[in-house]
Amino acid sequence: MEESKSLGEQPIPKLLSRFALPCVLGLLIGALYNIVDQIFIGNSSLGYLGNAATGISFPVICIANAFAWCVGDGAAAYLSICAGRQDSESAHKCVGTGLTTTFVISLVLACVGLVFCRPLMALFGASEATLDLACDYFRIIALFFPAYLMMNVMNGIIRADGSPSYAMITLCSGAVLNLILDPICIFVLDWGIQGAAIATVVGQTVSFLVCLWYFRRPKSFRLTKHSFGINGAMLKNLVVLGGSTFIIQISVVVMTLLSNIMLAKYGGLSVYGSDIPISVFSIQTKIYTIVSNIAVGIALGGQPILGYNYGAQKMDRVKQTYILILVSSLSVGLVATLVFEFAPQLVIGIFGKQNALYMDFAVKSFRIFLSMCMASCFIKISSIFFQSIGKAVHAMVASVIRDMLCFVTFTVTLCTLLERKEAGAGIYGILLAAPLSDLVAGIVITILTIAFFKGLRPATEQTNPVAIRATHPGVVVTIARQHGTCGKQIGELVAKKLDIPFYYKELTALVAQESGMAAEFITEDYDDASEVLHEIYLSTHVVRQGIIAQEQVLQKIADAGACVVVGRAANHVLRSYPNVVRVFIHAPEEVRIRNIQAMYGDDAASARQQMHRSDESRAAYYRNTSGNAWNAMDQYDLCLDASIGKEAAANLIVDYVKEKTGIQSK
């Protein structure tokens, strides 16, 4: 916890530069893979047709990446959680499940890509002139999907294992090799577009092998043959934790697929034809990726700083970090915009000399499509900012509004309207759709951001500090309960009868004191959201941080001696302790509804809704924390029906504890 507390004390510029630099460099190296091929292809005899062919395969590769990064980012996030709570058993299962799942997915995607190569390339915009080139390139890439996707997943796990420098070396080794092999394969060996693909997959395979070498001696886990089975509950955790990455990648696919289809359709109706616009968009996308990766890298570097300080309610530091990220990212966007507006030929020329028609469209495209580059950077960092502080709905809106909603709507509408107005003008609808989408999404997110900062509350002081009460060695009773079973009151009765400490709300105060986090970020249940949004909420950085702090305090409580703990997945957290009695309290729905009505004064319908929502919340928390189902009875030593009454239920628990441990009740 002391290391985390430094995030709330050290100067923000120093912290941000320390965390952001590796993120930016890693993302830029990744972008290099995508751009190097196109530079050499564009300067070869293949020209813009070759670049169009590689651009056509790009969204299919993005789909493959979406699956890999979803599992990989989920595994990396879960590994960080395991490291925080020193859970080596779950750590190796998490890594093994992630690797095995990715390998299976990569084999399936490789087979689909190889078998359906031509229809896929045609679907994504290949013309008669580019179809064979696109297939020649993509077949080689698809054949090596296992190495490529496994490398991406392993790289994320290596970073999460505390070795970011090694993770960067893995990417650098492949990128540098790709850079060396491209001119050899394309020009010296005269292998054309297949040479570019071969150079790429050789680089990816080398990166994969360097990653594989690391797994001989990782820091926080050890893999055995038993690690590699696919654990269903664990896999669900990984998918939830990596879900936002999947959504972002799929939004890129949707945007690219729509662009290619519309470029092929309306480009074919214009003087440019279909191949020139697709080729230009291919290089334009890769160039913009460099810009956006810098902004995203800065924001990702700020994630732990934002998460900790928001959790600790150090709002001045949250604002300072956000402003620094915002100014840095907008500065990157401003420089890029100036280049795209006033010197686009310099960027376009890197990809080879092309004919006048090509240059005419390319210059227009860069100047119009990328004119709102600053707003686009703002949108990307906003998604990361909101995710860092646990605002799942805000993060979701920022992730999808630009690409999935605005761009799709504006592209279809503007292309249709402009083509009706003037034959051949529909192609400009795609160019105008991007800045309009950036503008609208930027306005929406600005409103969300202003509202968020206006709603920030000052930190509340803990007036009655609590302490872990040392007691005699003995039983630790953990109680999980359905909502409406009076589980808290039953737990208090058990503690009183056994004359041992009781922890419920006291646990929240202890975690706040130990971790420096504010109480509301430890106990916030997010009950008003759907189960999906609850899962996303639990995956955010600040909430994961709170979960880890809470588990560490639970372990300290158990180390201090006998006690009763209600809720917070205590039965899972303390599962390795030999003196734990794990209790689950349930009751028929009609009994629980009556109890809720009596406690809160709700009508029957409201009580039922509250009961189901609260149970979903507890189930999601438990699943996210443990990887298991909350109400799976085999996880507990004693499951009892609370309809027998609070006193009877407490007596039953005490009798069970006495029978199992031999201690005497008071």
Side-chain angles (χ1 to χ4, degrees):
M1 291 186 188
E2 291 302 320
E3 184 179 352
S4 294
K5 286 182 180 179
S6 68
L7 295 172
E9 298 169 358
Q10 291 186 10
I12 297 296
K14 179 181 177 181
L15 283 171
L16 186 60
S17 61
R18 189 176 110 208
F19 285 109
L21 185 60
C23 292
V24 171
L25 290 176
L27 289 170
L28 287 179
I29 293 167
L32 189 61
Y33 267 118
N34 292 325
I35 203 168
V36 165
D37 283 355
Q38 299 210 266
I39 292 174
F40 287 110
I41 288 171
N43 283 279
S44 73
S45 59
L46 296 167
Y48 72 83
L49 289 177
N51 276 335
T54 59
I56 288 161
S57 66
F58 179 69
V60 188
I61 297 170
C62 281
I63 292 173
N65 274 332
F67 286 99
W69 288 349
C70 176
V71 176
D73 283 9
Y78 199 82
L79 182 61
S80 297
I81 294 172
C82 292
R85 64 193 187 201
Q86 298 179 333
D87 184 359
S88 58
E89 179 66 21
S90 296
H92 82 88
K93 288 181 180 178
C94 147
V95 174
T97 295
L99 293 177
T100 304
T101 302
T102 303
F103 182 68
V104 172
I105 290 172
S106 67
L107 289 178
V108 172
L109 292 175
C111 291
V112 171
L114 292 171
V115 173
F116 299 102
C117 181
R118 292 186 73 83
L120 278 172
M121 295 301 101
L123 173 65
F124 283 87
S127 67
E128 290 184 9
T130 59
L131 182 57
D132 288 337
L133 288 172
C135 289
D136 287 344
Y137 182 82
F138 180 70
R139 282 194 183 100
I140 295 172
I141 298 295
L143 186 64
F144 283 81
F145 268 170
Y148 175 51
L149 300 186
M150 290 287 286
M151 180 267 291
N152 280 329
V153 171
M154 294 166 83
N155 193 267
I157 291 171
I158 290 169
R159 285 197 305 272
D161 195 43
S163 302
S165 298
Y166 192 96
M168 194 178 302
I169 290 171
T170 66
L171 290 174
C172 283
S173 59
V176 170
L177 189 58
N178 185 28
L179 183 65
I180 295 170
L181 291 179
D182 256 327
I184 295 174
C185 294
I186 295 172
F187 299 112
V188 178
L189 299 175
D190 195 26
W191 288 347
I193 200 165
Q194 291 177 319
I198 290 170
T200 297
V201 298
V202 169
Q204 292 168 352
T205 302
V206 167
S207 290
F208 164 72
L209 293 174
V210 176
C211 284
L212 194 62
W213 184 260
Y214 177 88
F215 281 77
R216 294 167 59 252
R217 291 181 181 175
K219 294 180 178 179
S220 62
F221 60 91
R222 289 291 179 269
L223 295 176
T224 68
K225 64 180 181 180
H226 302 295
S227 305
F228 294 99
I230 298 179
N231 183 300
M234 181 68 72
L235 178 59
K236 185 169 184 178
N237 264 344
L238 304 191
V239 170
V240 167
L241 290 169
S244 59
T245 304
F246 183 82
I247 292 169
I248 292 170
Q249 278 297 110
I250 291 300
S251 71
V252 172
V253 173
V254 171
M255 180 179 170
T256 307
L257 174 59
L258 177 67
S259 297
N260 283 357
I261 291 172
M262 303 302 267
L263 288 168
K265 178 181 178 179
Y266 290 100
L269 299 173
S270 72
V271 295
Y272 302 111
S274 60
D275 292 325
I276 285 177
I278 289 176
S279 177
V280 168
F281 262 64
S282 176
I283 66 169
Q284 181 178 267
T285 301
K286 306 298 174 56
I287 289 295
Y288 175 67
T289 298
I290 293 177
V291 178
S292 65
N293 278 0
I294 296 174
V296 168
I298 295 169
L300 288 174
Q303 239 182 4
I305 308 168
L306 289 164
Y308 179 84
N309 286 287
Y310 185 68
Q313 280 196 319
K314 296 185 176 182
M315 298 310 176
D316 289 341
R317 289 178 66 83
V318 171
K319 291 178 182 177
Q320 186 183 351
T321 305
Y322 174 76
I323 290 171
L324 187 55
I325 291 170
L326 180 65
V327 171
S328 302
S329 301
L330 291 183
S331 299
V332 172
L334 176 61
V335 172
T337 302
L338 293 174
V339 173
F340 298 152
E341 292 299 320
F342 297 105
Q345 298 91 339
L346 293 178
V347 180
I348 298 163
I350 296 172
F351 297 87
K353 294 181 180 180
Q354 310 297 344
N355 60 47
L357 203 58
Y358 178 96
M359 291 300 296
D360 177 64
F361 182 80
V363 169
K364 289 178 180 177
S365 183
F366 270 73
R367 284 177 173 164
I368 299 172
F369 195 87
L370 299 177
S371 59
M372 294 291 288
C373 203
M374 291 176 66
S376 189
C377 288
F378 167 65
I379 293 165
K380 289 187 178 295
I381 69 158
S382 296
S383 175
I384 296 168
F385 167 70
F386 286 124
Q387 205 222 12
S388 301
I389 58 174
K391 298 299 179 184
V393 176
H394 292 60
M396 183 73 74
V397 169
S399 294
V400 303
I401 187 171
R402 195 267 185 191
D403 294 344
M404 297 288 279
L405 298 179
C406 293
F407 185 78
V408 171
T409 303
F410 285 135
T411 297
V412 174
T413 304
L414 290 173
C415 286
T416 303
L417 291 176
L418 290 175
E419 188 64 32
R420 285 177 182 173
K421 185 176 181 181
E422 181 182 347
I427 190 71
Y428 297 111
I430 306 173
L431 304 188
L432 293 167
L436 282 174
S437 300
D438 289 329
L439 180 62
V440 172
I443 291 172
V444 172
I445 294 170
T446 298
I447 293 170
L448 288 176
T449 305
I450 291 173
F452 164 75
F453 278 110
K454 280 187 175 180
L456 287 181
R457 301 188 303 272
T460 55
E461 294 185 4
Q462 179 71 33
T463 55
N464 297 309
V466 297
I468 295 175
R469 287 165 282 173
T471 183
H472 56 81
V475 68
V476 175
V477 180
T478 68
I479 297 179
R481 78 281 186 219
Q482 292 179 324
H483 187 55
T485 56
C486 300
K488 173 180 170 290
Q489 295 95 319
I490 293 171
E492 285 182 300
L493 285 172
V494 171
K496 184 178 180 180
K497 291 174 183 291
L498 293 174
D499 193 24
I500 57 179
F502 174 74
Y503 294 95
Y504 177 63
K505 288 193 174 180
E506 298 88 347
L507 177 61
T508 300
L510 284 167
V511 176
Q513 290 172 191
E514 291 280 327
S515 67
M517 298 184 72
E520 52 263 48
F521 302 113
I522 299 162
T523 60
E524 188 172 7
D525 283 336
Y526 213 59
D527 282 344
D528 293 329
S530 67
E531 187 174 0
V532 172
L533 286 178
H534 194 121
E535 297 275 16
I536 295 173
Y537 167 75
L538 288 170
S539 75
T540 54
H541 184 87
V542 64
V543 179
R544 294 204 314 267
Q545 192 170 266
I547 289 172
I548 292 170
Q550 188 168 247
E551 291 175 349
Q552 291 173 336
V553 169
L554 278 170
Q555 290 166 351
K556 287 186 177 182
I557 288 173
D559 289 338
C563 61
V564 175
V565 180
V566 172
R568 316 319 286 178
N571 69 295
H572 173 76
V573 176
L574 304 177
R575 65 194 181 282
S576 62
Y577 284 69
N579 57 333
V580 173
V581 172
R582 302 165 299 173
V583 179
F584 184 84
I585 301 176
H586 59 91
E589 282 197 2
E590 60 273 15
V591 173
R592 295 162 60 199
I593 290 171
R594 286 199 301 270
N595 287 339
I596 293 169
Q597 288 180 280
M599 285 187 286
Y600 303 107
D602 293 341
D603 58 39
S606 297
R608 183 182 300 275
Q609 183 182 27
Q610 181 185 351
M611 176 183 69
H612 289 304
R613 194 170 56 213
S614 183
D615 283 352
E616 285 178 4
S617 169
R618 292 173 185 178
Y621 179 88
Y622 192 86
R623 184 168 53 247
N624 191 282
T625 303
S626 69
N628 300 318
W630 163 66
N631 57 355
M633 301 304 179
D634 59 353
Q635 300 176 104
Y636 302 96
D637 301 303
L638 175 65
C639 298
L640 61 91
D641 185 343
S643 62
I644 61 175
K646 289 181 283 189
E647 185 73 26
N651 286 334
L652 196 155
I653 294 171
V654 169
D655 288 342
Y656 180 86
V657 169
K658 182 171 63 174
E659 181 68 28
K660 185 170 182 178
T661 63
I663 67 170
Q664 299 296 317
S665 60
K666 298 289 183 180

